[in-house]
Structures are given as structure tokens and as C-alpha cells.
Amino acid sequence: MINVTKEAAGWFKNELGVQAGQAIRFFARYSAGGTIHPGFSLGIEIENPISPGTVSEVEGIKFFMEDKDLWYLEGYHLNVEYNQEHHDIEYQYELAEGQA
């Protein structure tokens, strides 16, 4: 599940020029670091869903992850929040109910 705050959706509008009716894809990408999967982090891109595994809509923008990338969030909910101090978004991974 993906939860995006209204403030975070505003960041996507301001920083990426995303408008209502468009979509943001979250995807797993190989990179240094990573919070829940070492060696992988979360990437974003403006793209329409093809085979969405999870979708949420905030401020008219669809935020989604394709079915093939859902392994990255297995057992977690993704919360996308706006960090006012850093003027940036941040990801919070919350254990899904029943996960330990």
C-alpha cells in the first residue's frame, strides 16, 4: 500500500511539474544503500500504469507501483511525506499488519 500526503503530492507538482491526471511510478532500482533491501532503493518517474499492483490517488495524481516491483514493499506500507525542514519528500516504511 502507498500513502502519499497532500503536502508530498504538492512537492511532486512543484518539483516535477506533475499535474492532475498524470501518474508517478515508484520502482525498485539497484543502488548503494537502501533501507529495507540493502543494495536497492526506491526510484520515481512520471509514467502511466501498465500492470499496477497498488495505486493510490492524491490531489488528482495517481501514485503506483507495478506488479513486478511489489516485492520491494512486501510486508510494508510506503508512506510518502513532505519534510518541511529539507523541502523534500521522504519515505517511511511501516510494517504491514501481521508482519514482525
Side-chain angles (χ1 to χ4, degrees), residues 10-87:
W11 180 91
F12 284 96
K13 287 180 176 180
N14 292 333
E15 294 295 320
L16 302 180
V18 180
Q19 299 176 4
Q22 290 185 296
I24 295 288
R25 175 183 169 215
F26 294 101
F27 61 95
R29 66 186 181 120
Y30 187 73
S31 70
T35 305
I36 57 176
H37 296 287
F40 291 90
S41 64
L42 208 53
I44 56 173
E45 90 184 311
I46 302 169
E47 182 178 302
N48 288 320
I50 296 170
S51 182
T54 184
V55 179
S56 64
E57 189 169 324
V58 180
E59 299 288 306
I61 301 168
K62 288 183 182 174
F63 295 90
F64 73 99
M65 184 171 269
E66 291 287 347
D67 220 18
K68 67 182 179 183
D69 288 318
L70 283 182
W71 64 267
Y72 187 82
L73 290 181
E74 189 172 330
Y76 293 91
H77 296 299
L78 171 63
N79 298 313
V80 183
E81 301 172 353
Y82 177 71
N83 182 316
Q84 204 165 27
E85 182 180 337
H86 294 107
H87 304 289

